[in-house]
Amino acid sequence: MERYILFFLLFICLHTGASEPQKITIRAERKSITELIRQIESQTDYRFSYNPDLLKKLPPISIRVEDETIENVLGALFDKTDIQFIIRDKFIILKKRQKEITISGFIHDRESHETLISANIIDLVSGQGAVSNNFGFYSLTIPPGSLTLRPSYVGYATEHHPFIVTQDTVIHFYLRPSSSLKEVVVEGDLRNPIQHAETGKISFNAGTLNAVPALMGEHDVIKVLQQLPGVAVGSDAMAGLYVRGGNADENLYLVDGNPLYHVHHLLGLFSTFNPEAVKTMDFYKGSFPARYGGRLSSVVDLRMNDGDMKQMSGTASIGLISSRLNLQGPIVKDKTSFSVSLRRTYLDLLVRPALYFMNRQNKKDDPENHDKIDFAYYFYDFNAKINHKFSDKSRLYLSLYNGKDKLFFKNESRYGGTNQYDGTTGEAEAYPVTNHSTETANMDIGWGTGMVSLNWAYAVNSKLFSNATLIYNRFSSDISLYSENEDFYTTTNPVTDTKELVKTSQFFNPVYRSGIEDLGYRLDFDYAYDNNHLIRFGTALLQHNFRPEESRIYRRETDGERKKNDTITYADERIRVKELSLYAEDEMAFGKRLKVNAGMHLSGFFVQGKSYLSAQPRLSARYLLWDDLSMKASYGRMSQYVHLLQSSYLNSPNDLWVPITKNVKPLSSYQFSVGLYGRYHGFDLSAETYYKKSSNQVEYKDGASILTGNSRWEDRVAQGIGTSYGVELMAKKNIGNSSGWIGYTLSWADRQFPGGEINQGKSYPAKQDNRHKINAVFMHKFNRKFDLNLSWIYATGNWTTLPEEEYINMHGVKEPYIERRNNYKMPNYQRLDLSFNYYRHKKSGRTGIWNISIYNTYAHHNSFLVLPSEKFAPNPDTVDGYPQKGIPAYQSYCLFPIIPSFSYTYKF
């Protein structure tokens, strides 16, 4: 019922405040154009301007229109003629339509020659405009003759270039970065939220990604997205994105167009993306263009820096837990460039030397009985990109990424000594026994992601742009738990006066592995038919190699001369899959007011002799009510062929990436969304509502988890239905000394498994069903030396499952009683983060930046974990209240109190 009320309220809002455009009604049979023009002038306050000779050769026209706009009426009259109409204020100018020409080229940064993505270019004479694609290429079709082109991009000075052009021409632009806030306003921005057709799309540049405060000063792309409406967060350390009721595996992460599966470090506290290597990021949570596929909830499309073609530059940062280095520059000036980024934590470099000296002291204190401890944890990210320019039309890109987490722990305990053995009955006398024992416990866990891609971008002609890509990526996880006990006994027999050595040992080594490996290609085309049609189409083929889980236990026992070796294999399965996709979409403009993006994504998944085929229509439309107010609506179907099986919202190395199989069906969903987008006094405003329903959601059955006996993973999961709906409000300011955004989300999300495997088939709230969420991000630049950034978040808590009662089973053991899944809502979450930067500008453009950050500034207790416990109260049956009486209760645990941090960054 709530969702219908939400849609009704939004519908009412859409019909308030907008003035009605002038409507025209004409019913004419074989009338001349001049007569029809007089009828239009009589019904509106528009006036025509034209040369009478222009209309003499036009035949009589029959037309019937009722309550139509001026644009539609003029289109019906002149679209199929050689006459062009231009509306300027209240004047309609008619002139002979000229054969149009196409101007194309690339838009660059003047200093580094880095291409600029989504830059605007407008011809001020004709009013036509275009936007550069992901490689900085634009194509603009306009009438020949005199024109004035104005390329523009946020953060760059706006320029005007007059030309006289009579044929198809290639023109490249090199924009100058600007520190003046007055120069960075982009007038006529074709990619702002009011103008483009997509719902739920938000774009960020590198400056914003690096400004939002983060844990321990580690700027994080994923944590920035968690500050947006529609993205759930209700706990510290929550890994991934939970978008509009979806799960963490329903988000498509693309790095230069190439997918990544695992994007987190340290249980989800940090993401794998180094913000200093990121050029731009587009985030889609509403309508997905047809070129994207394979996930249900969102798309995160990151484009990395190509590298400076002119000179060497870089940044070096050192913080509390990690250091970062970014270098870029020319290999061959104006021809080949590179960009390299490296980040590594150094907790292991600090801890292991301290443990070494502690172990040495322990051994010195007691050589026969001591412990030896070793511990290490670290993660690293490595990004590299090489950009080679064959010509103005042709470029080659080689991109690499490798990231890994490593957790290692070893404890070796040594016991030894000499004891006098009294012997047994019949033996002559006692004799000494020397024993030496070693107990070793070892945990070795590693998980990581790698990706390599080779892109060839080629401008075929002034209208057609192509991009061919070869892709390889992998994710692997290895867990090894090792324990060994060794006992040595050396005895001296007084009768024979000989020494005898006896050895016994036990070895236990469980091993758990999981992984996925992809190899494939992708081919994409952008075809700018004219300024009203941008057509994209392409295809992709991926070969997936899944190893969902390999679980073994190795055992060895030695007792004197007797030996026993044993290997138990619980699971070892390999699945090979082919995934094929085709897509086509057309971004169409019907006059000034209506823009539509319509497309189709076709996909096929071929696994274990079974074929799954899916047709996914995508449609989004924008209608411009005023110049600063638009209404949008969208519909999309999505399919997903891989799942991530998790026992909690934490990211851990034993999470399983698994494909659909002949027994596990593909996920699918559809989503409707509608909203208003406007601009008022420098603020971008939006109000959007959505309804999403998904089928074949995958979760563990009640009582099952990742490691449950020797059953296969397919037998431990159930498939069901997910439903989510809500309203998202946002106000965002991009320009000026003060910028940021504030957002509010009202949402519902639930799950139901009709088969009864979970919660007896009844509906229950999803873990991330946060009813209310408020976000505020504020960034203020005092001057060129100081700036302040803060972010605040409030959200109703996540849901978890806790026992409601306890009972004594037939064996006399207490057992928890749980009536339903997700039966307890955790306490509400709130957090304020602050970040302060001090800039020291040095010679030759070098800069030193001191950063001080405070995470959870007012130390709010945010529940990370809630467990059953008990509290004690005075005993009412005694005078002094003792012994106290235990009362069952829940205990809340907080992961992060207030955490201050600092870092220093040097730019050169």
Side-chain angles (χ1 to χ4, degrees):
M1 182 62 185
E2 293 93 338
R3 62 177 178 266
Y4 299 112
I5 296 175
L6 296 175
F7 278 106
F8 176 75
L9 292 175
L10 187 65
F11 180 80
I12 295 298
C13 293
L14 296 178
H15 289 78
T16 60
S19 60
E20 289 291 330
Q22 299 182 64
K23 298 298 181 69
I24 300 170
T25 298
I26 299 177
R27 297 181 181 86
E29 296 292 337
R30 297 188 58 78
K31 297 289 185 180
S32 67
I33 286 289
T34 54
E35 290 182 86
L36 296 175
I37 286 176
R38 285 195 292 270
Q39 288 193 40
I40 294 174
E41 289 181 332
S42 67
Q43 296 183 38
T44 69
D45 51 3
Y46 287 98
R47 293 296 176 264
F48 284 79
S49 174
Y50 59 92
N51 185 338
D53 294 334
L54 187 66
L55 307 180
K56 287 182 178 179
K57 295 182 179 181
L58 291 180
I61 295 177
S62 298
I63 184 172
R64 295 179 68 87
V65 295
E66 188 168 347
D67 290 335
E68 282 289 349
T69 62
I70 184 69
E71 290 89 350
N72 291 340
V73 173
L74 294 175
L77 292 175
F78 299 112
D79 276 353
K80 295 181 180 181
T81 70
D82 60 352
I83 295 176
Q84 175 186 4
F85 66 88
I86 300 173
I87 301 176
R88 289 183 180 171
D89 295 327
K90 294 300 180 181
F91 290 94
I92 300 172
I93 302 170
L94 302 180
K95 62 181 183 179
K96 188 174 181 60
R97 193 189 305 272
Q98 296 176 299
K99 183 180 179 182
E100 294 183 318
I101 61 168
T102 300
I103 297 175
S104 61
F106 291 85
I107 303 178
H108 303 266
D109 179 293
R110 182 178 298 179
E111 297 178 356
S112 66
H113 283 207
E114 185 97 23
T115 56
L116 299 179
I117 299 172
S118 296
N120 290 274
I121 182 166
I122 295 176
D123 173 30
L124 298 180
V125 176
S126 66
Q128 299 294 317
V131 178
S132 62
N133 67 7
N134 287 328
F135 297 91
F137 177 80
Y138 75 92
S139 176
L140 179 63
T141 301
I142 53 177
S146 298
L147 57 130
T148 300
L149 297 180
R150 185 186 67 193
S152 58
Y153 193 71
V154 174
Y156 289 75
T158 300
E159 302 176 357
H160 296 77
H161 300 272
F163 297 98
I164 298 177
V165 182
T166 58
Q167 60 184 0
D168 290 353
T169 306
V170 175
I171 303 176
H172 304 304
F173 293 97
Y174 297 85
L175 303 186
R176 176 174 56 86
S178 173
S179 58
S180 172
L181 295 173
K182 295 181 180 179
E183 291 185 288
V184 300
V185 179
V186 180
E187 298 177 4
D189 185 3
L190 301 178
R191 301 304 298 172
N192 71 52
I194 303 172
Q195 295 292 335
H196 64 66
E198 295 87 2
T199 61
K201 178 189 176 184
I202 303 175
S203 300
F204 293 95
N205 56 28
T208 302
L209 297 176
N210 282 289
V212 177
L215 176 63
M216 298 184 186
E218 294 292 316
H219 298 294
D220 195 308
V221 168
I222 302 300
K223 294 298 186 286
V224 173
L225 295 178
Q226 289 179 350
Q227 296 280 358
L228 297 176
V231 182
V233 59
S235 171
D236 284 319
M238 192 169 77
L241 302 175
Y242 296 82
V243 181
R244 292 186 171 180
N247 292 327
D249 62 347
E250 296 177 9
N251 310 293
L252 178 63
Y253 298 99
L254 297 173
V255 178
D256 286 332
N258 308 307
L260 284 183
Y261 289 97
H262 188 82
V263 294
H264 306 286
H265 292 300
L266 191 58
L267 303 178
L269 293 180
F270 306 103
S271 76
T272 59
F273 305 115
N274 186 347
E276 292 174 347
V278 176
K279 184 194 298 188
T280 63
M281 178 179 70
D282 289 332
F283 178 56
Y284 299 84
K285 58 180 176 176
S287 58
F288 301 167
R291 58 188 179 274
Y292 298 117
R295 298 295 187 273
L296 300 188
S297 292
S298 78
V299 177
V300 181
D301 191 351
L302 295 109
R303 298 288 162 171
M304 314 304 282
N305 292 324
D306 296 334
D308 196 319
M309 284 281 191
K310 289 295 186 180
Q311 61 183 359
M312 285 289 298
S313 63
T315 61
S317 302
I318 183 169
L320 281 181
I321 65 169
S322 74
S323 292
R324 302 187 301 273
L325 178 66
N326 175 263
L327 294 174
Q328 60 175 329
I331 299 175
V332 178
K333 195 171 183 179
D334 295 330
K335 198 76 174 176
T336 307
S337 65
F338 76 94
S339 176
V340 175
S341 296
L342 177 64
R343 175 176 64 167
R344 192 191 191 279
T345 59
Y346 34 69
L347 178 63
D348 59 316
L349 303 179
L350 301 176
V351 172
R352 298 189 82 175
L355 292 175
Y356 169 79
F357 288 107
M358 184 186 74
N359 293 331
R360 191 171 71 168
Q361 184 63 40
N362 289 341
K363 184 176 181 180
K364 182 179 179 181
D365 294 341
D366 189 349
E368 294 295 332
N369 298 276
H370 62 271
D371 290 337
K372 182 180 180 182
I373 300 174
D374 192 10
F375 169 79
Y377 172 78
Y378 66 87
F379 70 77
Y380 69 82
D381 295 302
F382 174 75
N383 295 84
K385 189 172 184 180
I386 296 175
N387 166 26
H388 178 70
K389 181 180 177 182
F390 292 109
S391 66
D392 287 342
K393 288 187 171 184
S394 179
R395 288 184 181 236
L396 190 69
Y397 301 89
L398 175 64
S399 300
L400 301 98
Y401 169 78
N402 188 46
K404 187 173 183 179
D405 287 67
K406 184 72 172 179
L407 176 62
F408 175 81
F409 175 78
K410 183 177 182 180
N411 183 27
E412 183 179 305
S413 299
R414 179 186 174 94
Y415 310 95
T418 302
N419 299 309
Q420 197 71 13
Y421 183 58
D422 293 335
T424 60
T425 304
E427 291 183 334
E429 60 183 272
Y431 57 90
V433 177
T434 301
N435 70 300
H436 168 68
S437 300
T438 303
E439 296 180 1
T440 303
N442 185 26
M443 178 178 66
D444 191 353
I445 303 176
W447 65 100
T449 299
M451 183 272 291
V452 180
S453 69
L454 186 65
N455 294 63
W456 179 43
Y458 180 64
V460 181
N461 54 44
S462 61
K463 290 180 175 291
L464 183 62
F465 187 89
S466 66
N467 176 42
T469 307
L470 296 176
I471 305 168
Y472 170 80
N473 66 49
R474 58 154 179 82
F475 167 71
S476 61
S477 173
D478 295 273
I479 303 174
S480 176
L481 305 176
Y482 169 97
S483 66
E484 184 174 14
N485 298 332
E486 291 184 316
D487 293 311
F488 297 89
Y489 298 91
T490 304
T491 66
T492 303
N493 193 315
V495 177
T496 61
D497 196 28
T498 59
K499 292 186 176 181
E500 298 176 359
L501 176 66
V502 179
K503 175 185 177 182
T504 65
S505 67
Q506 292 181 331
F507 172 82
F508 183 74
N509 180 206
V511 174
Y512 186 85
R513 296 187 179 96
S514 179
I516 179 174
E517 188 176 56
D518 290 349
L519 179 66
Y521 75 87
R522 184 178 178 91
L523 189 60
D524 301 286
F525 294 93
D526 292 357
Y527 179 60
Y529 177 77
D530 57 27
N531 295 330
N532 296 323
H533 289 274
L534 175 58
I535 302 170
R536 297 182 176 96
F537 57 96
T539 182
L541 176 65
L542 283 177
Q543 170 73 48
H544 301 284
N545 296 309
F546 288 90
R547 183 178 62 190
E549 56 181 347
E550 177 188 349
S551 179
R552 288 189 173 90
I553 294 179
Y554 301 95
R555 291 178 178 173
R556 185 182 70 245
E557 294 184 6
T558 304
D559 185 3
E561 295 183 358
R562 293 177 299 173
K563 296 182 179 179
K564 181 182 179 181
N565 290 302
D566 192 14
T567 299
I568 302 174
T569 300
Y570 289 109
D572 186 12
E573 184 181 18
R574 310 295 174 101
I575 303 176
R576 297 179 184 272
V577 180
K578 284 186 173 63
E579 182 178 359
L580 175 67
S581 62
L582 302 165
Y583 75 89
E585 65 177 86
D586 187 4
E587 188 171 299
M588 302 167 279
F590 299 93
K592 177 184 177 182
R593 297 188 180 278
L594 181 61
K595 180 177 284 188
V596 176
N597 187 307
M600 178 69 74
H601 187 98
L602 303 175
S603 62
F605 202 77
F606 309 96
V607 55
Q608 297 177 338
K610 191 172 180 63
S611 300
Y612 293 99
L613 303 177
S614 173
Q616 305 160 45
R618 314 283 174 81
L619 177 66
S620 58
R622 177 228 71 193
Y623 186 78
L624 201 61
L625 300 172
W626 298 336
D627 288 343
D628 289 333
L629 180 65
S630 66
M631 180 179 69
K632 299 183 186 181
S634 67
Y635 167 80
R637 269 197 173 273
M638 285 70 69
S639 292
Q640 181 169 329
Y641 301 108
V642 295
H643 318 289
L644 179 64
L645 299 180
Q646 293 180 291
S647 290
S648 72
Y649 51 76
L650 292 177
N651 182 266
S652 61
N654 58 359
D655 295 344
L656 297 182
W657 278 104
V658 297
I660 64 166
T661 65
K662 59 184 179 182
N663 301 316
V664 180
K665 297 178 182 179
L667 277 74
S668 63
S669 73
Y670 63 85
Q671 180 178 186
F672 297 95
S673 59
V674 60
L676 282 173
Y677 290 78
R679 178 168 290 172
Y680 183 75
H681 290 299
F683 286 89
D684 290 329
L685 308 174
S686 64
E688 189 169 317
T689 185
Y690 65 91
Y691 176 81
K692 181 169 72 172
K693 190 159 189 175
S694 57
S695 58
N696 298 325
Q697 286 281 342
V698 176
E699 288 195 22
Y700 281 114
K701 298 176 182 178
D702 286 340
S705 64
I706 291 177
L707 299 175
T708 305
N710 59 358
S711 62
R712 298 171 67 249
W713 67 269
E714 289 179 278
D715 301 325
R716 305 197 298 267
V717 301
Q719 293 197 274
I721 300 168
T723 306
S724 59
Y725 49 92
V727 173
E728 299 167 3
L729 307 176
M730 187 173 181
K732 185 179 179 184
K733 186 174 185 292
N734 297 315
I735 304 301
N737 285 325
S738 298
S739 59
W741 66 86
I742 183 170
Y744 170 72
T745 305
L746 174 65
S747 62
W748 289 261
D750 58 44
R751 299 283 186 271
Q752 185 176 15
F753 290 77
E757 305 94 337
I758 298 176
N759 204 48
Q760 302 174 0
K762 301 176 183 177
S763 178
Y764 64 93
K767 286 182 180 179
Q768 290 75 38
D769 179 27
N770 306 139
R771 185 71 67 248
H772 304 279
K773 182 190 174 192
I774 303 174
N775 300 94
V777 175
F778 175 73
M779 296 167 282
H780 181 72
K781 188 176 183 66
F782 296 98
N783 50 49
R784 66 192 302 262
K785 287 189 174 183
F786 299 98
D787 66 40
L788 174 69
N789 309 298
L790 65 85
S791 66
W792 182 74
I793 182 172
Y794 170 87
T796 51
N798 289 333
W799 291 84
T800 189
T801 304
L802 292 175
E804 302 168 45
E805 298 177 3
E806 288 184 336
Y807 64 94
I808 307 296
N809 64 17
M810 59 185 299
H811 303 290
V813 179
K814 284 186 177 181
E815 292 281 355
Y817 171 73
I818 300 174
E819 183 180 0
R820 61 186 180 90
R821 182 173 288 201
N822 292 348
N823 57 358
Y824 178 83
K825 188 175 79 67
M826 298 174 69
N828 295 340
Y829 181 94
Q830 58 176 300
R831 191 186 78 237
L832 174 67
D833 302 332
L834 295 176
S835 174
F836 178 79
N837 293 307
Y838 169 64
Y839 300 82
R840 291 195 62 188
H841 299 281
K842 306 175 185 292
K843 295 180 180 179
S844 303
R846 294 171 295 165
T847 306
I849 306 172
W850 287 97
N851 171 268
I852 299 175
S853 299
I854 304 176
Y855 184 88
N856 196 9
T857 305
Y858 50 84
H860 186 265
H861 180 98
N862 290 312
S863 294
F864 166 71
L865 188 64
V866 177
L867 295 175
S869 181
E870 63 178 356
K871 63 180 180 179
F872 294 91
N875 192 333
D877 299 328
T878 61
V879 176
D880 59 358
Y882 288 93
Q884 290 187 330
K885 185 178 181 181
I887 302 174
Y890 293 133
Q891 178 67 45
S892 172
Y893 298 90
C894 175
L895 186 62
F896 295 123
I898 181 173
I899 300 180
S901 62
F902 70 90
S903 65
Y904 178 74
T905 301
Y906 182 67
K907 292 188 175 183
F908 53 92

